[in-house]
Amino acid sequence: MKRSSSRRSGVSSSSSSPGSCDLLRSGSSKAVSKETERIDQLFYTYMDKPSGMIDPEGIESFCSDLEVDHTDVRILMLAWKMQAERQGYFTLEEWRKGLKALHADSISKIKKVLPDLEREVRRPTSFMDFYSYSFRYCLTEKQKSIDIESACELLSVVLGYLFRHQVDKLVEYLKNQHEYKVINMDQWMSFLRFCNEINFPSLENYDPNLAWPLILDNFVDWMREKQNGSLGLKSF
Amino acid sequence: MEEKTLKDMKEEEIRKMEKKTLKDMKEKEEKEEEMRKLELMLSNIEIKGLSNETLDGIKCMTLYTDIYIVATDSNQVFNAKMYSKYKEFHNDYLNDIVLPHLRLHHGEFLLKEFETSWAHYSKVIHNRLHLYFRYLGRYYVAREKLLNLNDVGNRCFIDLLYEEMRSRVMDAVICLINKERDGAKIDRELVKKVVNVFEELKLYEDIFEERIVAGTKDYYSKKASLWISENSCPEFMLKVEECLEKEENMVRDCMKPATEQKIVSEVEHKLLVLHSTQLFDKEYSGLKKLLEDGKVVDLARMYRLYSRVHDGLQHVCLAFKNHVTAQGMALVRQTEIEVNKHVVKNDVGALQNQQVHLIMEFIKLHEVYLSYVNDYFQSNSMFFKVLKEAFEVFCNKSIAGVSPAELLSIFCDQTLKKKSCDNDKSTEDTIDDVVKLLVYISDKDMFAEFHRKKLARRLLFNKSDSDEHERYLLTKLKQKCGRHFTSKMEGMVTDLTLCQDTTASFTDYLRDNPDMNPGFDLTVTVLTIGFWPSYKTCTFNLPPEMLRCVEAFKQFYQTRTKRTRITWLFSLGTCTIVGKFEPKTMDLIVTTLQASVLLLFNSANRLSYSDIKDQLDLPEEDVTRLLHSLSCAKYKILKKEPDTKTISKTDYFEFNSMFTDRLKRIKVPFPLVDDRKKVIETVVSDRRHAIEAAIVRIMKFRKVLGHHQLMSECAEVLSSTFRPDFKIIKLQIESLISRDYLERDSKDHSVYRYLA
């Protein structure tokens, strides 16, 4: 999977809401280094000594300190801010990067800054990036696709609060169908486009002759059959 | 004295003046006298005498001289007056003589009068006047650039008689023409003469043609409504054809050629165009009925008539298409019903017969309607096109789950198996028909695969009637569908031809190496992989007799080429076994596998199912089938314990020494596995690869392409072989995306980009 570095710079340059400051803001280097120190300290509290990274256990305790469930979307958002590469693990670099960008160096500050982070993510320009990041984040080393179960969970987490109905129906469909066992990036991205562009639940502006992936064509057919009930008589 | 002189002078002057005045007065008087004379002369120039045939020569001279004198008068005053006088003479004649005469007459007589009046006027009267006034014309008229004397005559005629000509004269002409249209005989010469008059007056287009065309319009409008309600479609068309012929005839005879087109198009419009819907839709004789009843003469006439009219054939064409489609669909439905009956009864033979029958019906249908297009529709390309479209509709309908491609291959198979001395058609003609039908079938690759399978069977089991016919079909297919379509099949046929060489060499080899000779007559057919359909190879324990055969050939083949590796396909072989039965010894023609089963009974009288299976080392389903064919089918070569209809693993088998048959040589049938599904699967998977290859090729060339374009280009490229399902194309595109051959454009999701 290609990862262009431009994505990363895109993230940092688009952040301008209060509370997410650019690392390059001028200020007394002393204040900055103090901040870095506190960030690092925070890291060490959760770090797993042998690996030098925060592992899933560490993340669990981090989450409980934050009083946020570890399946909460905000953790995913934090991971995004950090551009964490591996699900369940944070490196020092990533930790620093994320927390510095958030200008938060303690648990309480992080807590305070979470709503702002949410707002930032929800902006259309960043959301697309966040959305595609969340898919990549769930991939393991050599994989290019996620199995259906995990994809459904991820969908609920990432898109659920924005497009509740669509996600519910889509998840129901994905769990019921047998043709696809995994979801790839192309299909993943198309789900977001689908939610944004297609009227729900009417689906009247969906055209299977366009370049929508086949999985969505099948989903729409399934929806329409359900809507027509037992009178599923199609004329063509 | 001086007083006197003055007085004298004055008197003289006065006298002089008086004299002068007198002189002047006299002159003036003379002049006036002259004028009066001239005036008189002018007015005396009578025209009354002009209409006489013969004129007094002296009178003529007098007239001419008088005019000459007036014309040459130095005053020039009279020229203008003369000119108007000239005109006046013409007008007077026309008003006093011509018009009243015309008004007296009607109908044909009017026309006669009209014609003669003009003739007389233009030839006699006018010429005379012109003659007399010629001096005027030469100098005055030319100098003053007035309308020359010749044209004045025509002008006067036109000015005065325009209305008369336009209305009464033309009414009479139209009336006359309509009489002819109604069937009477008229004086065409008269019409011609009238036409000439108008031509000479240069009013042909303005008056004559215009009114004739209008008259035609009216006449045929009325007739059309009448005829359409009174007549059936064929009758009406017959009338129309006759009318058109008559009109063309008449116009060519009497009128100017340019008028023909105008009149004919009016007739066509009124008779053919305005009421066409009514005509076609007539319930008992309309277009649909004509097609159904096969009324070809009428259809040909309809074609002839409507091909004259712009866009006139659309309707006919469409009706033809619908008719052919309906006929085809009826055949399909009928066959479906029949086939389903046989499916229920599991009557395979009857089923196949029905399927073959359908293809024959299609061929007949095609012949009939092709001849329609060629013979009755003058090979019009529009009709060829709709014939094709119609056939494409019903030739692609499956019958009880069997695709038309398969049906066609079944038909082909039967045709090539049959003996050539068949009923009416030669095999080659039938082959031509098959290829013609193939054009309409969209799943050509399906046909190719089925045909290949069946061809293999025919070639290997020697069922084909003639090699030449097989080659003929392949040549035709190559012409229609391209080399790639038939390359494998041609390879197959070639293989068999080469086999003869191989067999001859093998015989030589055995002669030269007698110790290798297995002692049996062995024929080995070597098939090149790739040309032939793939066959399942199975491990199998050969009986020792056969082992010797295999070894011998292996050794022989090694001498020919070291490189090739042989894989034996025992399931395709045949064997003739001698069965020493008690009633009589018989020859049994069986498959190699059946023979192996039977040979086991040479060393043991009674064997169990598992014995047989173990000894042969074959999969269970094959063993079951083999045993069934030898013990439960038509010929019970083996006795089965228990004597049930099916084979079970606990059965025991014994050599049936009492077996016999009327014939000395029998063929023990071994039913083939239904590999239809496999063929279809092969085709489907080949298609996926073909689609993928096409997509990659297209994207490599285009680099960037929109979704729709990619889909349509893909379908286009593959159209000669099959019609790809759009869903499958989409699937392949997605597969290529996930394997990083393609990507979606980040800005426009319906555009794909090729990734090198």
Coordinates of all heavy atoms in Angstrom, one line a residue, chain A residues 80 120-132 158-159 161-163 192 196:
Chain A
W80 N -4.4 8.8 14.9 CA -4.3 9.5 13.6 C -3.4 10.8 13.7 O -2.6 11.1 12.9 CB -5.7 9.9 13.1 CG -5.7 10.8 11.9 CD1 -5.3 10.6 10.7 CD2 -6.1 12.2 12.0 NE1 -5.5 11.7 9.9 CE2 -6.0 12.7 10.6 CE3 -6.6 13.1 12.9 CZ2 -6.3 14.0 10.3 CZ3 -6.9 14.4 12.6 CH2 -6.8 14.8 11.2
E120 N -11.7 18.9 14.8 CA -10.8 18.9 13.7 C -11.0 17.8 12.7 O -11.0 17.9 11.5 CB -9.3 18.9 14.3 CG -8.3 19.0 13.2 CD -6.9 18.6 13.7 OE1 -6.7 18.7 14.9 OE2 -6.1 18.2 12.9
V121 N -11.1 16.6 13.3 CA -11.3 15.4 12.5 C -12.5 15.5 11.6 O -12.5 15.1 10.4 CB -11.3 14.2 13.4 CG1 -11.8 13.0 12.6 CG2 -9.9 13.9 13.9
R122 N -13.6 16.0 12.2 CA -14.8 16.0 11.5 C -14.9 17.0 10.3 O -15.7 16.9 9.5 CB -16.0 16.4 12.4 CG -16.3 15.2 13.2 CD -17.6 15.4 13.9 NE -17.6 14.7 15.2 CZ -18.7 14.3 15.8 NH1 -19.9 14.5 15.3 NH2 -18.6 13.6 16.9
R123 N -13.9 17.9 10.2 CA -13.9 18.8 9.1 C -13.7 18.0 7.8 O -12.8 17.1 7.8 CB -12.7 19.8 9.2 CG -13.2 21.2 9.8 CD -12.1 22.2 9.8 NE -11.2 22.0 10.8 CZ -9.8 22.0 10.6 NH1 -9.4 22.3 9.4 NH2 -9.0 21.8 11.6
P124 N -14.4 18.3 6.8 CA -14.4 17.5 5.6 C -13.0 17.2 5.0 O -12.7 16.0 4.7 CB -15.2 18.3 4.5 CG -16.1 19.1 5.4 CD -15.4 19.4 6.7
T125 N -12.1 18.2 5.0 CA -10.8 17.9 4.4 C -10.0 16.9 5.3 O -9.4 16.0 4.7 CB -10.0 19.2 4.4 OG1 -10.2 19.9 5.6 CG2 -10.4 20.0 3.2
S126 N -10.1 17.0 6.6 CA -9.3 16.1 7.4 C -10.0 14.8 7.5 O -9.4 13.7 7.7 CB -9.0 16.6 8.8 OG -9.6 17.9 9.0
F127 N -11.4 14.8 7.4 CA -12.1 13.6 7.7 C -11.7 12.5 6.7 O -11.6 11.3 7.0 CB -13.6 13.8 7.7 CG -14.4 12.6 8.1 CD1 -14.4 12.3 9.5 CD2 -15.0 11.7 7.2 CE1 -15.1 11.1 9.9 CE2 -15.6 10.6 7.6 CZ -15.7 10.3 9.0
M128 N -11.6 12.9 5.4 CA -11.2 12.0 4.3 C -9.9 11.3 4.7 O -9.7 10.1 4.6 CB -11.0 12.7 3.0 CG -10.7 11.9 1.9 SD -12.0 10.9 1.2 CE -12.7 12.1 0.1
D129 N -8.9 12.1 5.2 CA -7.6 11.6 5.6 C -7.7 10.7 6.7 O -7.2 9.6 6.8 CB -6.7 12.8 5.9 CG -5.3 12.3 6.0 OD1 -4.7 11.9 5.0 OD2 -4.8 12.4 7.1
F130 N -8.5 11.1 7.7 CA -8.7 10.2 8.9 C -9.4 8.9 8.6 O -9.0 7.9 9.0 CB -9.6 11.0 9.9 CG -10.1 10.2 11.1 CD1 -9.2 9.7 12.0 CD2 -11.4 9.8 11.2 CE1 -9.6 9.0 13.1 CE2 -11.9 9.1 12.2 CZ -11.0 8.6 13.2
Y131 N -10.3 9.0 7.7 CA -11.1 7.8 7.3 C -10.1 6.8 6.6 O -10.2 5.6 6.9 CB -12.2 8.2 6.3 CG -13.1 7.1 5.8 CD1 -14.0 6.6 6.6 CD2 -12.9 6.6 4.6 CE1 -14.8 5.5 6.2 CE2 -13.7 5.6 4.1 CZ -14.7 5.1 4.9 OH -15.4 4.0 4.5
S132 N -9.3 7.3 5.6 CA -8.4 6.3 5.0 C -7.3 5.9 5.9 O -6.9 4.7 5.9 CB -7.8 6.9 3.7 OG -7.0 8.0 4.0
V158 N -16.0 4.5 13.1 CA -15.5 5.7 12.3 C -16.7 6.4 11.7 O -16.7 7.7 11.7 CB -14.5 5.2 11.2 CG1 -14.2 6.3 10.3 CG2 -13.2 4.7 11.9
L159 N -17.6 5.7 11.2 CA -18.7 6.4 10.5 C -20.0 6.5 11.2 O -20.9 7.2 10.9 CB -18.9 5.8 9.1 CG -18.0 6.1 8.0 CD1 -18.5 5.5 6.7 CD2 -17.9 7.6 7.8
Y161 N -21.3 7.5 14.0 CA -21.9 8.7 14.6 C -22.3 9.7 13.5 O -23.1 10.6 13.8 CB -21.0 9.3 15.6 CG -19.7 9.8 15.1 CD1 -19.5 11.2 14.8 CD2 -18.6 9.0 14.9 CE1 -18.3 11.7 14.3 CE2 -17.4 9.5 14.4 CZ -17.3 10.8 14.1 OH -16.1 11.2 13.6
L162 N -21.7 9.6 12.4 CA -22.1 10.6 11.3 C -23.2 10.1 10.4 O -24.1 10.8 10.0 CB -20.8 10.8 10.4 CG -19.8 11.7 10.8 CD1 -18.7 11.8 9.8 CD2 -20.4 13.2 11.0
F163 N -23.1 8.8 10.1 CA -24.1 8.2 9.2 C -24.7 7.0 9.8 O -24.6 5.9 9.3 CB -23.5 7.9 7.8 CG -22.8 9.0 7.1 CD1 -21.4 9.1 7.1 CD2 -23.6 10.0 6.5 CE1 -20.8 10.2 6.5 CE2 -23.0 11.0 5.8 CZ -21.6 11.1 5.8
L192 N -17.4 5.7 2.1 CA -17.5 7.1 2.5 C -18.2 8.0 1.5 O -19.1 8.7 1.7 CB -16.1 7.7 2.9 CG -16.1 9.2 3.3 CD1 -17.0 9.4 4.5 CD2 -14.7 9.7 3.5
N196 N -21.7 10.0 1.6 CA -21.8 11.5 1.3 C -22.7 11.8 0.1 O -23.4 12.8 0.1 CB -20.4 12.0 0.9 CG -19.6 12.3 2.2 OD1 -20.2 12.8 3.2 ND2 -18.3 12.1 2.2

